[in-house]
Amino acid sequence: MASTVKTKTDLAFQRCVMPDCAATYDVADVRTSCDACGSLLDVDYDWDSLPVPSSLQSFEEKWSRRNEPLCFSGVWRFVDLLPFAPTNKIITIGEGQTLLHPSDGVARFVGVRPGNLLLQYEGMNPSGSFKDNGMTAAFTHAHTIGARRAACASTGNTSASLALYCGVSKLMQAIIFIGSGKISYGKLSQALDYGALTIQIAGDFDDAMHRVQQVSTKQGIYLVNSVNPFRLEGQKTIMFRVLEAMRWEVPDWIVVPGGNLGNSSAFGKAFYELHQLGLIDRIPRLAVINAAGANTLYELVEGRGLRWNNGRPDASIVNNYYAELDDANRRASTIASAIEINRPVNLYKCLRALECCNGVVREVTDQQMLDAKAQVGANGVGCEPASAASVAGAKLLRAEGVIAPTERVVCILTGHQLKDPTATVAYHTHDQAEFNRVLGSRGVTRAAFANRAVQVENNLDEIIRAIELNS
Ligand code: F0G
């Protein structure tokens, strides 16, 4: 196969992640794995020949030019750190206008000092999740190579994002693959409303992912799942914005939910590159948090000792684990449907990120996630269940003493509260039968932070009494 491997021709190119292979490919190639060894690809750059900014502060110059779309975008104002596309081909819909909220209420819940807990709220993106950061980048690449159809498998947010970019731009048709009954209504409604061709497969996300890869290869459809290395270039900018909001100071911890492991992989690449370029002097620690019902990364890293090992991970640990899952017919199962994934496609890139960032992996139960979610909501931000894995994970790491109370912790809130109202309403309900129906099978037994609606007769005195009693 080596004859198909191209040599790099440009300032941006694609490169196999495995250092022993390191095959390179043209930036305009459409591929999601290395021809030579089958591994994942990175987008890489000839930084020595590119105009690299002398400091991160220099990006502040873009703030005064917010009326220009590429300066307005929270992704493309950092274009110098992801320079793979001609700027006249970039498709932006104003993604990345997100906020870093300090929350002393959540700091108390987690157990760190006031001021030390920050929530990076990616729910403010146009489609309501962090996915738009990556989608603008993959969509731009698809546009530069003239794609007319783009596909993804999704637990709901990637599909909502793809559907939105297709709907706004009319440049491509969106074809989305979802597992049947595996997607929250908030997310499904977006894909349908934005006009995506929606293929509902009898199976779960792992099945849908497998099929979309087959179909897109066979039919020449552009694949935008995070096996697409351009997606991750866009997701690097979440970390650039965190640093920007901290006035370019590096936090001690980044805590992120882990599903398909695109974010954690992108964050590791972001910090590696910033460090290599001399733009930061230290790298924060990374904590990736699985749902206990979809805990492949946790099992492999913390349970079985899998490591990146300088680019020589022991693939037999992974293969044996997947064979065990198959033998036991074990499927991912969690209320956090966004991260209900047992075969994360970016596993190896995530291992590399963990090595680069001295990372740790933890698992949290659905109960822990929903309690953390209620605390995030009560402190005025609001997120979907999977996002709260970051806060629940930070609390766990604090209780273990891995995170110190004096450390500054950034938890990534990946998706908007309205993405999955079913879980939220069930948590807060006074109706025990409804609580059990939605949450009982998930091992959720109590709602310590429930805010129950007060039932009252349609009677003025009764209404006033209810208000006064509860004020
Ligand atoms: N949080 C939310 C809200 C998500 O939608 C996802 C992934 C993750 C966390 C996990 O991120 O894959 O980078 O580790 N959602 C994908 C989807 C799988 O199809 O929308 P990851």
Side-chain angles (χ1 to χ4, degrees):
M1 294 292 277
S3 60
T4 60
V5 178
K6 292 185 189 172
T7 51
K8 73 174 183 180
T9 53
D10 211 342
L11 300 179
F13 50 96
Q14 300 181 67
R15 187 208 295 271
C16 175
V17 294
M18 291 300 172
D20 288 343
C21 174
T24 56
Y25 302 93
D26 196 276
V27 74
D29 279 10
V30 178
R31 58 178 75 240
T32 50
S33 60
C34 175
D35 277 355
C37 74
S39 301
L40 294 164
L41 298 172
D42 277 325
V43 181
D44 209 345
Y45 306 94
D46 179 2
W47 293 112
D48 291 340
S49 309
L50 281 162
V52 178
S54 55
S55 73
L56 286 171
Q57 279 85 353
S58 64
F59 287 103
E60 294 174 14
E61 178 266 331
K62 306 273 178 102
W63 298 347
S64 60
R65 294 196 279 132
R66 282 175 62 81
N67 56 338
E68 296 171 29
L70 297 191
C71 292
F72 180 76
S73 166
V75 172
W76 297 109
R77 72 169 171 269
F78 298 103
V79 65
D80 296 345
L81 298 172
L82 52 149
F84 65 82
T87 46
N88 64 352
K89 289 282 186 186
I90 289 173
I91 309 292
T92 171
I93 59 171
E95 57 287 317
Q97 302 305 312
T98 61
L99 278 181
L100 187 70
H101 286 273
S103 176
D104 287 350
V106 178
R108 245 189 322 277
F109 174 71
V110 166
V112 294
R113 295 225 177 118
N116 280 5
L117 197 288
L118 303 134
L119 301 171
Q120 175 66 14
Y121 187 39
E122 290 296 314
M124 291 173 73
N125 274 293
S127 78
S129 86
F130 75 92
K131 300 287 181 180
D132 298 340
N133 293 284
M135 199 56 67
T136 183
F139 203 80
T140 291
H141 183 252
H143 178 48
T144 62
I145 59 103
R148 304 296 303 156
R149 295 192 290 178
C152 66
S154 186
T155 55
N157 280 328
T158 306
S159 49
S161 182
L162 174 62
L164 181 55
Y165 278 82
C166 288
V168 173
S169 70
K170 300 285 179 252
L171 289 168
M172 282 165 240
Q173 182 191 23
I175 306 173
I176 67 163
F177 288 54
I178 56 176
S180 78
K182 292 290 182 182
I183 174 172
S184 72
Y185 264 24
K187 300 172 191 178
L188 180 60
S189 69
Q190 289 181 290
L192 298 175
D193 224 22
Y194 300 143
L197 170 59
T198 304
I199 310 284
Q200 213 159 352
I201 294 175
D204 64 9
F205 173 82
D206 294 316
D207 297 317
M209 187 70 227
H210 178 60
R211 291 299 180 198
V212 78
Q213 285 180 298
Q214 289 178 318
V215 171
S216 51
T217 306
K218 224 169 162 192
Q219 301 301 108
I221 301 172
Y222 190 92
L223 184 65
V224 299
N225 277 105
S226 54
V227 281
N228 178 321
F230 296 92
R231 270 272 307 276
L232 302 196
E233 289 307 286
Q235 287 171 216
K236 290 191 308 192
T237 66
I238 301 171
M239 291 302 103
F240 304 156
R241 294 197 301 275
V242 165
L243 295 179
E244 183 179 49
M246 298 184 76
R247 303 315 307 258
W248 314 110
E249 280 180 25
V250 179
D252 297 298
W253 286 92
I254 301 290
V255 191
V256 63
N260 234 355
L261 306 179
N263 258 345
S264 44
S265 302
F267 298 173
K269 186 170 190 283
F271 288 119
Y272 176 80
E273 289 175 350
L274 291 180
H275 196 249
Q276 288 286 306
L277 293 170
L279 294 170
I280 52 174
D281 54 12
R282 75 184 177 91
I283 292 177
R285 295 191 70 184
L286 181 67
V288 185
I289 314 298
N290 273 163
N295 64 352
T296 293
L297 184 72
Y298 176 72
E299 268 290 327
L300 292 175
V301 171
E302 303 291 343
R304 304 182 185 207
L306 180 66
R307 294 289 181 275
W308 174 243
N309 193 23
N310 287 316
R312 293 187 181 145
D314 183 350
S316 71
I317 299 178
V318 183
N319 297 337
N320 290 341
Y321 180 69
Y322 286 165
E324 281 173 34
L325 288 183
D326 285 342
D327 287 348
N329 196 20
R330 207 174 111 206
R331 293 286 171 166
S333 175
T334 165
I335 192 78
S337 58
I339 53 174
E340 195 172 42
I341 297 171
N342 260 353
R343 290 172 189 262
V345 296
N346 287 298
L347 175 63
Y348 289 103
K349 279 188 180 175
C350 178
L351 294 177
R352 185 179 61 176
L354 289 168
E355 186 167 288
C356 169
C357 302
N358 188 16
V360 297
V361 184
R362 291 292 182 273
E363 61 173 357
V364 290
T365 62
D366 287 5
Q367 177 80 61
Q368 288 169 312
M369 261 185 282
L370 290 186
D371 287 340
K373 183 177 120 48
Q375 283 290 300
V376 170
N379 284 285
V381 186
C383 66
E384 64 169 286
S387 307
S390 60
V391 173
K395 183 176 171 64
L396 178 64
L397 287 163
R398 175 65 209 98
E400 290 175 358
V402 177
I403 291 179
T406 49
E407 289 186 304
R408 287 211 286 180
V409 182
V410 176
C411 292
I412 313 301
L413 297 182
T414 45
H416 198 281
Q417 197 257 7
L418 296 176
K419 289 280 191 175
D420 187 0
T422 311
T424 310
V425 173
Y427 184 88
H428 291 291
T429 188
H430 53 78
D431 178 346
Q432 192 61 40
E434 177 63 5
F435 181 93
N436 291 343
R437 188 184 68 77
V438 179
L439 304 176
S441 65
R442 305 292 186 180
V444 180
T445 55
R446 65 195 154 75
F449 306 109
N451 174 30
R452 302 210 163 83
V454 179
Q455 308 274 299
V456 61
E457 304 225 332
N458 185 10
N459 171 297
L460 185 58
D461 291 338
E462 291 294 324
I463 293 169
I464 291 172
R465 186 170 307 125
I467 292 171
E468 296 309 324
L469 264 175
N470 289 283
S471 298

mmCIF file of all heavy atoms in Angstrom, residues 75 82 122 130-138 158 224-226 228-241 261-268 270 346:
data_model
loop_
_atom_site.group_PDB
_atom_site.id
_atom_site.type_symbol
_atom_site.label_atom_id
_atom_site.label_comp_id
_atom_site.label_asym_id
_atom_site.label_seq_id
_atom_site.Cartn_x
_atom_site.Cartn_y
_atom_site.Cartn_z
ATOM 1 N N VAL A 75 -14.204 30.468 16.330
ATOM 2 C CA VAL A 75 -13.283 29.481 15.749
ATOM 3 C C VAL A 75 -12.268 30.181 14.849
ATOM 4 O O VAL A 75 -11.058 30.056 15.022
ATOM 5 C CB VAL A 75 -14.058 28.421 14.939
ATOM 6 C CG1 VAL A 75 -13.109 27.510 14.157
ATOM 7 C CG2 VAL A 75 -14.937 27.595 15.876
ATOM 8 N N LEU A 82 -5.097 27.149 12.839
ATOM 9 C CA LEU A 82 -5.689 26.033 12.071
ATOM 10 C C LEU A 82 -5.741 26.428 10.594
ATOM 11 O O LEU A 82 -6.798 26.412 9.965
ATOM 12 C CB LEU A 82 -7.063 25.607 12.616
ATOM 13 C CG LEU A 82 -8.187 26.623 12.850
ATOM 14 C CD1 LEU A 82 -9.543 25.943 12.625
ATOM 15 C CD2 LEU A 82 -8.132 27.196 14.235
ATOM 16 N N GLU A 122 -20.512 25.654 26.168
ATOM 17 C CA GLU A 122 -20.564 25.492 24.710
ATOM 18 C C GLU A 122 -21.996 25.346 24.193
ATOM 19 O O GLU A 122 -22.216 25.232 22.985
ATOM 20 C CB GLU A 122 -19.697 24.302 24.293
ATOM 21 C CG GLU A 122 -18.205 24.565 24.472
ATOM 22 C CD GLU A 122 -17.701 25.704 23.576
ATOM 23 O OE1 GLU A 122 -18.041 25.724 22.385
ATOM 24 O OE2 GLU A 122 -16.982 26.582 24.089
ATOM 25 N N PHE A 130 -21.166 22.073 21.462
ATOM 26 C CA PHE A 130 -19.791 22.327 21.017
ATOM 27 C C PHE A 130 -19.526 21.866 19.602
ATOM 28 O O PHE A 130 -18.513 22.234 18.996
ATOM 29 C CB PHE A 130 -18.804 21.623 21.971
ATOM 30 C CG PHE A 130 -18.723 20.129 21.773
ATOM 31 C CD1 PHE A 130 -17.779 19.579 20.924
ATOM 32 C CD2 PHE A 130 -19.588 19.272 22.423
ATOM 33 C CE1 PHE A 130 -17.698 18.203 20.721
ATOM 34 C CE2 PHE A 130 -19.521 17.896 22.221
ATOM 35 C CZ PHE A 130 -18.580 17.357 21.381
ATOM 36 N N LYS A 131 -20.414 21.053 19.049
ATOM 37 C CA LYS A 131 -20.138 20.439 17.739
ATOM 38 C C LYS A 131 -19.916 21.477 16.648
ATOM 39 O O LYS A 131 -19.205 21.203 15.681
ATOM 40 C CB LYS A 131 -21.284 19.517 17.327
ATOM 41 C CG LYS A 131 -21.549 18.391 18.283
ATOM 42 C CD LYS A 131 -20.480 17.330 18.223
ATOM 43 C CE LYS A 131 -20.808 16.198 19.196
ATOM 44 N NZ LYS A 131 -19.814 15.126 19.190
ATOM 45 N N ASP A 132 -20.516 22.655 16.791
ATOM 46 C CA ASP A 132 -20.378 23.667 15.734
ATOM 47 C C ASP A 132 -18.926 24.116 15.556
ATOM 48 O O ASP A 132 -18.527 24.515 14.464
ATOM 49 C CB ASP A 132 -21.270 24.878 16.037
ATOM 50 C CG ASP A 132 -22.745 24.501 16.072
ATOM 51 O OD1 ASP A 132 -23.113 23.453 15.508
ATOM 52 O OD2 ASP A 132 -23.526 25.252 16.681
ATOM 53 N N ASN A 133 -18.132 24.027 16.626
ATOM 54 C CA ASN A 133 -16.705 24.376 16.515
ATOM 55 C C ASN A 133 -15.999 23.497 15.486
ATOM 56 O O ASN A 133 -15.151 23.964 14.722
ATOM 57 C CB ASN A 133 -15.993 24.149 17.854
ATOM 58 C CG ASN A 133 -16.445 25.102 18.927
ATOM 59 O OD1 ASN A 133 -16.070 26.255 18.927
ATOM 60 N ND2 ASN A 133 -17.274 24.616 19.845
ATOM 61 N N GLY A 134 -16.333 22.214 15.531
ATOM 62 C CA GLY A 134 -15.702 21.277 14.602
ATOM 63 C C GLY A 134 -16.389 21.257 13.254
ATOM 64 O O GLY A 134 -15.752 21.062 12.214
ATOM 65 N N MET A 135 -17.717 21.483 13.291
ATOM 66 C CA MET A 135 -18.463 21.366 12.032
ATOM 67 C C MET A 135 -18.065 22.463 11.062
ATOM 68 O O MET A 135 -17.941 22.218 9.849
ATOM 69 C CB MET A 135 -19.964 21.392 12.308
ATOM 70 C CG MET A 135 -20.812 20.846 11.176
ATOM 71 S SD MET A 135 -20.369 19.160 10.696
ATOM 72 C CE MET A 135 -20.855 18.233 12.150
ATOM 73 N N THR A 136 -17.853 23.673 11.550
ATOM 74 C CA THR A 136 -17.462 24.745 10.646
ATOM 75 C C THR A 136 -16.141 24.391 9.931
ATOM 76 O O THR A 136 -15.954 24.711 8.760
ATOM 77 C CB THR A 136 -17.366 26.107 11.372
ATOM 78 O OG1 THR A 136 -17.056 27.116 10.431
ATOM 79 C CG2 THR A 136 -16.300 26.134 12.456
ATOM 80 N N ALA A 137 -15.273 23.683 10.636
ATOM 81 C CA ALA A 137 -13.988 23.310 10.045
ATOM 82 C C ALA A 137 -14.149 22.171 9.041
ATOM 83 O O ALA A 137 -13.645 22.249 7.904
ATOM 84 C CB ALA A 137 -13.002 22.921 11.147
ATOM 85 N N ALA A 138 -14.871 21.113 9.419
ATOM 86 C CA ALA A 138 -15.063 19.993 8.486
ATOM 87 C C ALA A 138 -15.890 20.440 7.285
ATOM 88 O O ALA A 138 -15.617 20.049 6.141
ATOM 89 C CB ALA A 138 -15.758 18.831 9.200
ATOM 90 N N THR A 158 -24.016 16.053 16.776
ATOM 91 C CA THR A 158 -23.299 16.182 15.500
ATOM 92 C C THR A 158 -24.316 16.334 14.372
ATOM 93 O O THR A 158 -24.145 17.154 13.463
ATOM 94 C CB THR A 158 -22.413 14.951 15.237
ATOM 95 O OG1 THR A 158 -21.556 14.760 16.360
ATOM 96 C CG2 THR A 158 -21.561 15.127 14.007
ATOM 97 N N VAL A 224 -18.451 13.562 8.205
ATOM 98 C CA VAL A 224 -18.069 14.627 9.152
ATOM 99 C C VAL A 224 -17.965 14.168 10.603
ATOM 100 O O VAL A 224 -17.831 14.992 11.503
ATOM 101 C CB VAL A 224 -19.012 15.856 9.078
ATOM 102 C CG1 VAL A 224 -18.992 16.485 7.705
ATOM 103 C CG2 VAL A 224 -20.424 15.500 9.508
ATOM 104 N N ASN A 225 -18.033 12.866 10.843
ATOM 105 C CA ASN A 225 -17.781 12.422 12.234
ATOM 106 C C ASN A 225 -16.352 12.781 12.631
ATOM 107 O O ASN A 225 -15.537 13.116 11.778
ATOM 108 C CB ASN A 225 -18.005 10.911 12.363
ATOM 109 C CG ASN A 225 -19.466 10.583 12.563
ATOM 110 O OD1 ASN A 225 -20.125 10.118 11.633
ATOM 111 N ND2 ASN A 225 -19.989 10.851 13.745
ATOM 112 N N SER A 226 -16.063 12.652 13.921
ATOM 113 C CA SER A 226 -14.762 13.158 14.377
ATOM 114 C C SER A 226 -13.580 12.263 13.977
ATOM 115 O O SER A 226 -12.446 12.567 14.328
ATOM 116 C CB SER A 226 -14.785 13.432 15.881
ATOM 117 O OG SER A 226 -15.200 12.287 16.584
ATOM 118 N N ASN A 228 -12.926 12.448 11.105
ATOM 119 C CA ASN A 228 -12.493 13.473 10.149
ATOM 120 C C ASN A 228 -11.535 14.418 10.890
ATOM 121 O O ASN A 228 -11.937 15.112 11.824
ATOM 122 C CB ASN A 228 -13.737 14.219 9.660
ATOM 123 C CG ASN A 228 -13.416 15.330 8.692
ATOM 124 O OD1 ASN A 228 -12.427 16.034 8.855
ATOM 125 N ND2 ASN A 228 -14.256 15.494 7.688
ATOM 126 N N PRO A 229 -10.258 14.470 10.485
ATOM 127 C CA PRO A 229 -9.301 15.236 11.285
ATOM 128 C C PRO A 229 -9.566 16.740 11.261
ATOM 129 O O PRO A 229 -9.131 17.456 12.168
ATOM 130 C CB PRO A 229 -7.950 14.909 10.638
ATOM 131 C CG PRO A 229 -8.264 14.469 9.252
ATOM 132 C CD PRO A 229 -9.632 13.823 9.314
ATOM 133 N N PHE A 230 -10.308 17.223 10.268
ATOM 134 C CA PHE A 230 -10.577 18.665 10.193
ATOM 135 C C PHE A 230 -11.544 19.098 11.293
ATOM 136 O O PHE A 230 -11.477 20.223 11.786
ATOM 137 C CB PHE A 230 -11.081 19.043 8.789
ATOM 138 C CG PHE A 230 -10.023 18.789 7.752
ATOM 139 C CD1 PHE A 230 -9.959 17.578 7.082
ATOM 140 C CD2 PHE A 230 -9.042 19.741 7.494
ATOM 141 C CE1 PHE A 230 -8.949 17.317 6.163
ATOM 142 C CE2 PHE A 230 -8.028 19.494 6.579
ATOM 143 C CZ PHE A 230 -7.978 18.275 5.913
ATOM 144 N N ARG A 231 -12.468 18.186 11.674
ATOM 145 C CA ARG A 231 -13.367 18.479 12.790
ATOM 146 C C ARG A 231 -12.571 18.896 14.022
ATOM 147 O O ARG A 231 -12.868 19.883 14.700
ATOM 148 C CB ARG A 231 -14.175 17.222 13.152
ATOM 149 C CG ARG A 231 -15.492 17.031 12.443
ATOM 150 C CD ARG A 231 -16.650 17.710 13.153
ATOM 151 N NE ARG A 231 -16.778 17.365 14.552
ATOM 152 C CZ ARG A 231 -17.392 16.296 15.019
ATOM 153 N NH1 ARG A 231 -17.979 15.448 14.193
ATOM 154 N NH2 ARG A 231 -17.485 16.059 16.317
ATOM 155 N N LEU A 232 -11.538 18.120 14.308
ATOM 156 C CA LEU A 232 -10.803 18.341 15.560
ATOM 157 C C LEU A 232 -10.013 19.646 15.517
ATOM 158 O O LEU A 232 -9.760 20.249 16.564
ATOM 159 C CB LEU A 232 -9.888 17.151 15.854
ATOM 160 C CG LEU A 232 -10.597 15.803 15.973
ATOM 161 C CD1 LEU A 232 -9.683 14.784 16.643
ATOM 162 C CD2 LEU A 232 -11.894 15.879 16.749
ATOM 163 N N GLU A 233 -9.641 20.099 14.318
ATOM 164 C CA GLU A 233 -8.960 21.397 14.225
ATOM 165 C C GLU A 233 -9.871 22.497 14.762
ATOM 166 O O GLU A 233 -9.436 23.387 15.489
ATOM 167 C CB GLU A 233 -8.554 21.695 12.771
ATOM 168 C CG GLU A 233 -7.421 20.818 12.269
ATOM 169 C CD GLU A 233 -6.212 20.860 13.195
ATOM 170 O OE1 GLU A 233 -5.490 21.869 13.209
ATOM 171 O OE2 GLU A 233 -6.005 19.864 13.919
ATOM 172 N N GLY A 234 -11.146 22.427 14.407
ATOM 173 C CA GLY A 234 -12.098 23.429 14.900
ATOM 174 C C GLY A 234 -12.289 23.322 16.407
ATOM 175 O O GLY A 234 -12.403 24.331 17.109
ATOM 176 N N GLN A 235 -12.309 22.090 16.899
ATOM 177 C CA GLN A 235 -12.566 21.900 18.340
ATOM 178 C C GLN A 235 -11.379 22.330 19.201
ATOM 179 O O GLN A 235 -11.547 22.569 20.407
ATOM 180 C CB GLN A 235 -13.002 20.449 18.601
ATOM 181 C CG GLN A 235 -14.431 20.232 18.101
ATOM 182 C CD GLN A 235 -14.927 18.800 18.095
ATOM 183 O OE1 GLN A 235 -15.665 18.417 17.207
ATOM 184 N NE2 GLN A 235 -14.534 18.000 19.068
ATOM 185 N N LYS A 236 -10.201 22.459 18.601
ATOM 186 C CA LYS A 236 -9.064 23.014 19.363
ATOM 187 C C LYS A 236 -9.408 24.395 19.911
ATOM 188 O O LYS A 236 -8.942 24.795 20.983
ATOM 189 C CB LYS A 236 -7.834 23.187 18.451
ATOM 190 C CG LYS A 236 -7.154 21.923 17.993
ATOM 191 C CD LYS A 236 -5.801 22.177 17.311
ATOM 192 C CE LYS A 236 -5.785 23.177 16.206
ATOM 193 N NZ LYS A 236 -4.538 23.176 15.392
ATOM 194 N N THR A 237 -10.243 25.132 19.170
ATOM 195 C CA THR A 237 -10.459 26.536 19.537
ATOM 196 C C THR A 237 -11.237 26.693 20.849
ATOM 197 O O THR A 237 -11.237 27.771 21.441
ATOM 198 C CB THR A 237 -11.179 27.320 18.416
ATOM 199 O OG1 THR A 237 -12.512 26.806 18.264
ATOM 200 C CG2 THR A 237 -10.425 27.231 17.108
ATOM 201 N N ILE A 238 -11.908 25.614 21.295
ATOM 202 C CA ILE A 238 -12.572 25.699 22.612
ATOM 203 C C ILE A 238 -11.501 26.020 23.666
ATOM 204 O O ILE A 238 -11.708 26.846 24.562
ATOM 205 C CB ILE A 238 -13.311 24.381 22.944
ATOM 206 C CG1 ILE A 238 -14.360 24.067 21.867
ATOM 207 C CG2 ILE A 238 -13.953 24.446 24.336
ATOM 208 C CD1 ILE A 238 -14.980 22.669 21.989
ATOM 209 N N MET A 239 -10.358 25.380 23.522
ATOM 210 C CA MET A 239 -9.267 25.639 24.487
ATOM 211 C C MET A 239 -8.673 27.037 24.281
ATOM 212 O O MET A 239 -8.303 27.705 25.259
ATOM 213 C CB MET A 239 -8.170 24.579 24.353
ATOM 214 C CG MET A 239 -8.600 23.217 24.816
ATOM 215 S SD MET A 239 -9.152 23.184 26.563
ATOM 216 C CE MET A 239 -10.929 23.133 26.393
ATOM 217 N N PHE A 240 -8.604 27.488 23.041
ATOM 218 C CA PHE A 240 -8.073 28.837 22.821
ATOM 219 C C PHE A 240 -8.981 29.870 23.498
ATOM 220 O O PHE A 240 -8.511 30.844 24.092
ATOM 221 C CB PHE A 240 -7.951 29.154 21.325
ATOM 222 C CG PHE A 240 -7.106 28.171 20.538
ATOM 223 C CD1 PHE A 240 -7.289 28.014 19.169
ATOM 224 C CD2 PHE A 240 -6.135 27.404 21.164
ATOM 225 C CE1 PHE A 240 -6.519 27.116 18.439
ATOM 226 C CE2 PHE A 240 -5.351 26.503 20.449
ATOM 227 C CZ PHE A 240 -5.556 26.360 19.071
ATOM 228 N N ARG A 241 -10.277 29.628 23.428
ATOM 229 C CA ARG A 241 -11.211 30.581 24.049
ATOM 230 C C ARG A 241 -11.155 30.511 25.578
ATOM 231 O O ARG A 241 -11.341 31.515 26.265
ATOM 232 C CB ARG A 241 -12.639 30.348 23.546
ATOM 233 C CG ARG A 241 -12.805 30.661 22.070
ATOM 234 C CD ARG A 241 -14.268 30.833 21.684
ATOM 235 N NE ARG A 241 -15.071 29.665 21.959
ATOM 236 C CZ ARG A 241 -15.186 28.622 21.137
ATOM 237 N NH1 ARG A 241 -14.531 28.589 19.984
ATOM 238 N NH2 ARG A 241 -15.961 27.598 21.452
ATOM 239 N N LEU A 261 -14.633 10.739 22.001
ATOM 240 C CA LEU A 261 -13.285 11.212 22.376
ATOM 241 C C LEU A 261 -12.673 12.199 21.391
ATOM 242 O O LEU A 261 -11.444 12.336 21.312
ATOM 243 C CB LEU A 261 -12.341 10.017 22.631
ATOM 244 C CG LEU A 261 -12.882 9.001 23.657
ATOM 245 C CD1 LEU A 261 -11.900 7.852 23.839
ATOM 246 C CD2 LEU A 261 -13.161 9.672 25.000
ATOM 247 N N GLY A 262 -13.538 12.902 20.668
ATOM 248 C CA GLY A 262 -13.043 13.936 19.762
ATOM 249 C C GLY A 262 -12.556 15.162 20.509
ATOM 250 O O GLY A 262 -11.471 15.678 20.228
ATOM 251 N N ASN A 263 -13.332 15.609 21.489
ATOM 252 C CA ASN A 263 -12.941 16.811 22.235
ATOM 253 C C ASN A 263 -11.621 16.610 22.960
ATOM 254 O O ASN A 263 -10.704 17.428 22.841
ATOM 255 C CB ASN A 263 -14.014 17.156 23.275
ATOM 256 C CG ASN A 263 -14.892 18.306 22.826
ATOM 257 O OD1 ASN A 263 -14.560 19.028 21.889
ATOM 258 N ND2 ASN A 263 -16.011 18.464 23.498
ATOM 259 N N SER A 264 -11.536 15.542 23.728
ATOM 260 C CA SER A 264 -10.312 15.317 24.509
ATOM 261 C C SER A 264 -9.105 15.236 23.569
ATOM 262 O O SER A 264 -8.034 15.775 23.870
ATOM 263 C CB SER A 264 -10.443 14.050 25.355
ATOM 264 O OG SER A 264 -11.004 12.999 24.612
ATOM 265 N N SER A 265 -9.281 14.601 22.418
ATOM 266 C CA SER A 265 -8.187 14.500 21.444
ATOM 267 C C SER A 265 -7.806 15.875 20.915
ATOM 268 O O SER A 265 -6.626 16.212 20.794
ATOM 269 C CB SER A 265 -8.603 13.617 20.261
ATOM 270 O OG SER A 265 -8.961 12.331 20.698
ATOM 271 N N ALA A 266 -8.821 16.668 20.602
ATOM 272 C CA ALA A 266 -8.568 18.018 20.064
ATOM 273 C C ALA A 266 -7.897 18.903 21.105
ATOM 274 O O ALA A 266 -6.991 19.683 20.786
ATOM 275 C CB ALA A 266 -9.884 18.646 19.607
ATOM 276 N N PHE A 267 -8.315 18.762 22.362
ATOM 277 C CA PHE A 267 -7.737 19.606 23.409
ATOM 278 C C PHE A 267 -6.249 19.266 23.594
ATOM 279 O O PHE A 267 -5.410 20.150 23.749
ATOM 280 C CB PHE A 267 -8.475 19.417 24.742
ATOM 281 C CG PHE A 267 -9.942 19.806 24.714
ATOM 282 C CD1 PHE A 267 -10.757 19.554 25.802
ATOM 283 C CD2 PHE A 267 -10.499 20.418 23.601
ATOM 284 C CE1 PHE A 267 -12.108 19.910 25.791
ATOM 285 C CE2 PHE A 267 -11.847 20.775 23.571
ATOM 286 C CZ PHE A 267 -12.648 20.514 24.669
ATOM 287 N N GLY A 268 -5.944 17.978 23.577
ATOM 288 C CA GLY A 268 -4.545 17.572 23.706
ATOM 289 C C GLY A 268 -3.711 18.142 22.573
ATOM 290 O O GLY A 268 -2.607 18.667 22.787
ATOM 291 N N ALA A 270 -4.365 20.796 20.798
ATOM 292 C CA ALA A 270 -4.286 22.254 20.963
ATOM 293 C C ALA A 270 -3.143 22.621 21.913
ATOM 294 O O ALA A 270 -2.305 23.474 21.598
ATOM 295 C CB ALA A 270 -5.613 22.792 21.513
ATOM 296 N N ASN A 346 -12.044 7.869 18.417
ATOM 297 C CA ASN A 346 -10.783 8.596 18.610
ATOM 298 C C ASN A 346 -9.949 8.055 19.765
ATOM 299 O O ASN A 346 -9.119 8.770 20.324
ATOM 300 C CB ASN A 346 -11.074 10.081 18.842
ATOM 301 C CG ASN A 346 -11.503 10.754 17.566
ATOM 302 O OD1 ASN A 346 -10.744 10.809 16.599
ATOM 303 N ND2 ASN A 346 -12.735 11.240 17.529
#
